[in-house]
Amino acid sequence: MTSRILVMSGDGVGPEICREAVRVLDALVSDHGLDVELDEALVGGAAYDAEGDPLPPTSLAAAREADAVLFGAIGGPQWDGLPRASRPESGLLRLRSELDLFANLRPAMLYPQLAHASALKPAMVSALDIMIVRELTGGIYFGKPAGNGVNEAGRREAWNTMRYDEDEIVRIGRRAFEIARARNGRLCSVDKANVLDVSQLWRDVMTELAAEYPDVELTHMYVDNAAMQLVRAPKQFDTVVTGNLFGDILSDAAAMLTGSIGMLPSAALNATGRGMYEPVHGSAPDIAGQGVANPLAAILSVAMMLRYSLNRGDLADRVEHAVGQALDRGLRTRDIMDDETQIASTQEMGGAIVDMLR
Ligand code: NAD
């Protein structure tokens, strides 16, 4: 059956990198039997400029109908002064919540060819491959009550609530167990159960779920220790599952172990496996329009889309392998350059991946 992919390239370098990702999809269609139909829709500042709304109703409707969304990046200084609801970022947040994308998959992987880019010693991070599964639509970012006011003593105060119900934990837990099963069969659940009731529930539910996945080894770790272990010995982790707040912080820390933001893809999935796939980086206004942006995060996002929404893990492997081959040949965009490598433009890097796939 033909899968529908919506390309929302957005602002800044978004259109440049999405163009290369689409070339990769086209090559998979023409040479490897991938059966997809592509469509495009406006989002972010580009949508605001055209239609006065960072997520116009037509774009949202198209995203709802798609099997997967390939998202570039949004934002830029020209839109920073707008009221919050009109800003590009609001379009992205609304899209995530309207599509009920509760599972955020953030791989932190480092091709051995780029081990020098990390702030850690190459031996500690070379071939690093961690998958952080973060709950994205619950927890303290959404818990009620939340607000601020003035207390009886006349001092300003503010409050948020970290709340999960067991169904929310079960659905992210299942997703994480399944991902761990398809990887190396090790899942580490991160919480703060020594202090927080909500974390104790998280831990209890994860432990109960483990009975359904006897082939996955479940361990638990407190979040403060997890932060320490991530920089001390990151290769001990395979798949990590955690709540919204802890995942927000740990996934950024893990991403930075790799030192190359232009290489990192991500996915956000809903209950039916539909998802949105996007590079971790933003719209990089400082380099937009210069043809120097690294398209590999967007191209690796296509690989995640193939694996998690289109059921084509075989093609995902091919794309990831092609990226490794391009790096082996010494091709580098400016952000991942070193002395012995050959500088490639956005388009040259995309073209190299397409050539490898053929
Ligand atoms: P950024 O990720 O856009 O850029 C940070 C640095 O990384 C910059 O020096 C940039 O040149 C570099 N960089 C980013 N992507 C690169 C690539 N593909 N190749 C080479 N270098 C790359 O973060 P920022 O500067 O903090 O934010 C810029 C804009 O992006 C802001 O408007 C912000 O709100 C937005 N943003 C959007 C998203 C998103 O769309 N999901 C995420 C983060 C930031």
Side-chain angles (χ1 to χ4, degrees), residues 267-290:
L269 305 179
N270 72 10
T272 64
R274 291 183 180 205
M276 189 158 103
Y277 297 84
E278 54 175 319
V280 164
H281 64 74
S283 60
D286 52 331
I287 57 166
Q290 298 174 21

Side-chain angles (χ1 to χ4, degrees), residues 24-34 109 111 113 296 299-307 311-328 349-358:
V24 166
L25 279 167
D26 287 342
L28 295 173
V29 169
S30 59
D31 291 27
H32 296 286
L34 178 67
M109 53 186 177
Y111 281 88
Q113 299 91 326
L296 294 179
I299 289 170
L300 291 168
S301 299
V302 166
M304 290 190 83
M305 176 190 291
L306 291 162
R307 181 168 289 124
N311 213 7
R312 291 301 303 264
D314 58 325
L315 295 183
D317 289 344
R318 268 183 198 272
V319 172
E320 287 164 358
H321 184 63
V323 170
Q325 284 179 304
L327 296 176
D328 279 341
M349 185 60 100
I353 308 302
V354 168
D355 288 347
M356 305 291 173
L357 289 170
R358 296 200 156 125

Side-chain angles (χ1 to χ4, degrees), residues 28-257:
L28 295 173
V29 169
S30 59
D31 291 27
H32 296 286
L34 178 67
D35 188 6
V36 293
E37 240 170 45
L38 299 186
D39 199 359
E40 287 181 38
L42 288 172
V43 71
Y48 176 81
D49 288 348
E51 307 196 15
D53 181 348
L55 183 64
T58 48
S59 296
L60 176 58
R64 280 191 202 285
E65 276 172 25
D67 295 298
V69 174
L70 176 65
F71 192 93
I74 45 88
Q78 62 271 53
W79 299 290
D80 283 350
L82 290 173
R84 187 162 298 281
S86 301
R87 285 198 211 155
E89 291 75 10
S90 303
L92 175 57
L93 293 180
R94 243 166 66 213
L95 188 57
R96 285 181 182 151
S97 102
E98 292 281 349
L99 299 181
D100 201 15
L101 302 172
F102 69 90
N104 187 204
L105 277 49
R106 290 270 305 258
M109 53 186 177
L110 184 56
Y111 281 88
Q113 299 91 326
L114 301 179
H116 67 274
S118 173
L120 298 193
K121 291 190 199 99
M124 283 175 69
V125 289
S126 178
L128 181 79
D129 183 3
I130 306 176
M131 175 66 82
I132 296 189
V133 181
R134 165 190 171 198
E135 200 289 326
L136 200 58
T137 53
I140 196 165
Y141 293 168
F142 296 92
K144 297 275 187 297
N148 58 70
V150 177
N151 66 18
E152 284 168 8
R155 289 194 287 271
R156 289 176 297 161
E157 64 176 9
W159 55 91
N160 293 89
T161 305
M162 192 187 269
R163 181 191 300 266
Y164 276 113
D165 78 24
E166 59 183 328
D167 286 1
E168 289 175 294
I169 304 172
V170 165
R171 68 176 185 171
I172 191 74
R174 279 196 203 289
R175 182 71 69 172
F177 273 102
E178 276 151 25
I179 288 168
R181 171 181 271 172
R183 288 168 52 90
N184 292 314
R186 288 188 296 119
L187 179 63
C188 178
S189 172
V190 171
D191 62 41
K192 188 72 183 167
N194 49 343
V195 178
L196 300 175
D197 292 330
V198 59
S199 277
Q200 188 59 55
L201 177 66
W202 179 280
R203 188 173 282 220
D204 292 347
V205 173
M206 289 294 165
T207 305
E208 287 156 21
L209 271 180
E212 294 175 35
Y213 300 88
D215 49 334
V216 176
E217 181 203 342
L218 174 70
T219 54
H220 303 277
M221 198 181 278
Y222 297 134
V223 62
D224 40 352
N225 187 27
M228 200 162 69
Q229 297 300 331
L230 260 183
V231 288
R232 194 187 71 85
K235 286 200 225 169
Q236 71 184 280
F237 295 104
D238 173 31
T239 307
V240 172
V241 62
T242 189
N244 206 343
L245 172 65
F246 301 154
D248 192 3
I249 298 165
L250 292 181
S251 63
D252 267 20
M256 281 303 101
L257 295 175

